[in-house]
PDB file of all heavy atoms in Angstrom:
ATOM      1  N   GLU A 696     -23.433 -85.446  -9.116  1.00  0.00           N
ATOM      2  CA  GLU A 696     -24.706 -85.161  -9.714  1.00  0.00           C
ATOM      3  C   GLU A 696     -24.894 -83.563  -9.664  1.00  0.00           C
ATOM      4  O   GLU A 696     -24.789 -82.986  -8.522  1.00  0.00           O
ATOM      5  CB  GLU A 696     -25.770 -85.814  -8.986  1.00  0.00           C
ATOM      6  CG  GLU A 696     -27.214 -85.540  -9.621  1.00  0.00           C
ATOM      7  CD  GLU A 696     -28.350 -86.418  -9.053  1.00  0.00           C
ATOM      8  OE1 GLU A 696     -27.984 -87.260  -8.166  1.00  0.00           O
ATOM      9  OE2 GLU A 696     -29.497 -86.090  -9.357  1.00  0.00           O
ATOM     10  N   VAL A 697     -25.190 -83.015 -10.798  1.00  0.00           N
ATOM     11  CA  VAL A 697     -25.413 -81.561 -10.857  1.00  0.00           C
ATOM     12  C   VAL A 697     -26.789 -81.302 -11.248  1.00  0.00           C
ATOM     13  O   VAL A 697     -27.340 -81.852 -12.263  1.00  0.00           O
ATOM     14  CB  VAL A 697     -24.376 -80.934 -11.976  1.00  0.00           C
ATOM     15  CG1 VAL A 697     -24.621 -79.416 -12.039  1.00  0.00           C
ATOM     16  CG2 VAL A 697     -22.881 -81.270 -11.599  1.00  0.00           C
ATOM     17  N   LYS A 698     -27.415 -80.419 -10.558  1.00  0.00           N
ATOM     18  CA  LYS A 698     -28.839 -79.884 -10.912  1.00  0.00           C
ATOM     19  C   LYS A 698     -28.751 -78.454 -11.027  1.00  0.00           C
ATOM     20  O   LYS A 698     -28.158 -77.724 -10.181  1.00  0.00           O
ATOM     21  CB  LYS A 698     -29.907 -80.222  -9.846  1.00  0.00           C
ATOM     22  CG  LYS A 698     -30.051 -81.765  -9.634  1.00  0.00           C
ATOM     23  CD  LYS A 698     -31.086 -81.987  -8.500  1.00  0.00           C
ATOM     24  CE  LYS A 698     -31.399 -83.426  -8.342  1.00  0.00           C
ATOM     25  NZ  LYS A 698     -32.069 -84.117  -9.414  1.00  0.00           N
ATOM     26  N   VAL A 699     -29.212 -77.936 -12.091  1.00  0.00           N
ATOM     27  CA  VAL A 699     -29.199 -76.463 -12.436  1.00  0.00           C
ATOM     28  C   VAL A 699     -30.561 -75.950 -12.826  1.00  0.00           C
ATOM     29  O   VAL A 699     -31.321 -76.572 -13.510  1.00  0.00           O
ATOM     30  CB  VAL A 699     -28.157 -76.207 -13.606  1.00  0.00           C
ATOM     31  CG1 VAL A 699     -28.470 -76.911 -14.834  1.00  0.00           C
ATOM     32  CG2 VAL A 699     -28.004 -74.754 -13.808  1.00  0.00           C
ATOM     33  N   CYS A 700     -30.864 -74.822 -12.273  1.00  0.00           N
ATOM     34  CA  CYS A 700     -32.094 -74.083 -12.538  1.00  0.00           C
ATOM     35  C   CYS A 700     -31.902 -72.598 -12.545  1.00  0.00           C
ATOM     36  O   CYS A 700     -31.561 -71.995 -11.569  1.00  0.00           O
ATOM     37  CB  CYS A 700     -33.220 -74.435 -11.482  1.00  0.00           C
ATOM     38  SG  CYS A 700     -34.813 -73.734 -11.917  1.00  0.00           S
ATOM     39  N   GLY A 701     -31.897 -71.961 -13.710  1.00  0.00           N
ATOM     40  CA  GLY A 701     -31.676 -70.562 -13.808  1.00  0.00           C
ATOM     41  C   GLY A 701     -31.769 -70.030 -15.210  1.00  0.00           C
ATOM     42  O   GLY A 701     -32.326 -70.763 -16.125  1.00  0.00           O
ATOM     43  N   PRO A 702     -31.185 -69.011 -15.532  1.00  0.00           N
ATOM     44  CA  PRO A 702     -31.206 -68.357 -16.952  1.00  0.00           C
ATOM     45  C   PRO A 702     -30.527 -69.290 -17.942  1.00  0.00           C
ATOM     46  O   PRO A 702     -29.679 -70.216 -17.607  1.00  0.00           O
ATOM     47  CB  PRO A 702     -30.444 -67.059 -16.755  1.00  0.00           C
ATOM     48  CG  PRO A 702     -30.399 -66.788 -15.230  1.00  0.00           C
ATOM     49  CD  PRO A 702     -30.428 -68.059 -14.549  1.00  0.00           C
ATOM     50  N   GLN A 703     -30.883 -69.087 -19.086  1.00  0.00           N
ATOM     51  CA  GLN A 703     -30.403 -69.883 -20.288  1.00  0.00           C
ATOM     52  C   GLN A 703     -28.901 -69.957 -20.286  1.00  0.00           C
ATOM     53  O   GLN A 703     -28.272 -70.942 -20.599  1.00  0.00           O
ATOM     54  CB  GLN A 703     -30.990 -69.547 -21.583  1.00  0.00           C
ATOM     55  CG  GLN A 703     -30.713 -70.452 -22.710  1.00  0.00           C
ATOM     56  CD  GLN A 703     -31.330 -69.999 -24.014  1.00  0.00           C
ATOM     57  OE1 GLN A 703     -32.030 -68.955 -24.024  1.00  0.00           O
ATOM     58  NE2 GLN A 703     -31.334 -70.792 -25.055  1.00  0.00           N
ATOM     59  N   ARG A 704     -28.260 -68.730 -20.089  1.00  0.00           N
ATOM     60  CA  ARG A 704     -26.871 -68.662 -20.211  1.00  0.00           C
ATOM     61  C   ARG A 704     -26.114 -69.516 -19.097  1.00  0.00           C
ATOM     62  O   ARG A 704     -25.070 -70.117 -19.360  1.00  0.00           O
ATOM     63  CB  ARG A 704     -26.435 -67.225 -20.019  1.00  0.00           C
ATOM     64  CG  ARG A 704     -24.915 -66.948 -20.240  1.00  0.00           C
ATOM     65  CD  ARG A 704     -24.587 -65.419 -20.380  1.00  0.00           C
ATOM     66  NE  ARG A 704     -25.128 -64.685 -19.291  1.00  0.00           N
ATOM     67  CZ  ARG A 704     -25.019 -63.416 -19.301  1.00  0.00           C
ATOM     68  NH1 ARG A 704     -24.371 -62.691 -20.290  1.00  0.00           N
ATOM     69  NH2 ARG A 704     -25.447 -62.692 -18.218  1.00  0.00           N
ATOM     70  N   MET A 705     -26.794 -69.512 -17.905  1.00  0.00           N
ATOM     71  CA  MET A 705     -26.204 -70.359 -16.806  1.00  0.00           C
ATOM     72  C   MET A 705     -26.262 -71.781 -17.189  1.00  0.00           C
ATOM     73  O   MET A 705     -25.265 -72.540 -16.955  1.00  0.00           O
ATOM     74  CB  MET A 705     -26.867 -69.970 -15.518  1.00  0.00           C
ATOM     75  CG  MET A 705     -26.608 -70.932 -14.331  1.00  0.00           C
ATOM     76  SD  MET A 705     -27.635 -70.621 -12.906  1.00  0.00           S
ATOM     77  CE  MET A 705     -26.735 -69.093 -12.268  1.00  0.00           C
ATOM     78  N   THR A 706     -27.423 -72.187 -17.667  1.00  0.00           N
ATOM     79  CA  THR A 706     -27.574 -73.612 -18.041  1.00  0.00           C
ATOM     80  C   THR A 706     -26.700 -74.047 -19.147  1.00  0.00           C
ATOM     81  O   THR A 706     -26.086 -75.149 -19.100  1.00  0.00           O
ATOM     82  CB  THR A 706     -29.056 -73.736 -18.496  1.00  0.00           C
ATOM     83  OG1 THR A 706     -29.974 -73.397 -17.456  1.00  0.00           O
ATOM     84  CG2 THR A 706     -29.280 -75.292 -18.773  1.00  0.00           C
ATOM     85  N   ALA A 707     -26.438 -73.133 -20.162  1.00  0.00           N
ATOM     86  CA  ALA A 707     -25.485 -73.431 -21.225  1.00  0.00           C
ATOM     87  C   ALA A 707     -24.118 -73.720 -20.755  1.00  0.00           C
ATOM     88  O   ALA A 707     -23.415 -74.449 -21.181  1.00  0.00           O
ATOM     89  CB  ALA A 707     -25.633 -72.358 -22.342  1.00  0.00           C
ATOM     90  N   THR A 708     -23.728 -72.849 -19.781  1.00  0.00           N
ATOM     91  CA  THR A 708     -22.397 -72.852 -19.193  1.00  0.00           C
ATOM     92  C   THR A 708     -22.140 -74.189 -18.523  1.00  0.00           C
ATOM     93  O   THR A 708     -21.108 -74.883 -18.686  1.00  0.00           O
ATOM     94  CB  THR A 708     -22.074 -71.741 -18.243  1.00  0.00           C
ATOM     95  OG1 THR A 708     -22.158 -70.467 -19.040  1.00  0.00           O
ATOM     96  CG2 THR A 708     -20.732 -71.861 -17.673  1.00  0.00           C
TER      97      THR A 708
END
Side-chain angles (χ1 to χ4, degrees):
E696 180 178 351
V697 182
K698 294 180 181 291
V699 57
C700 183
Q703 187 177 8
R704 184 168 56 181
M705 171 183 284
T706 303
T708 302

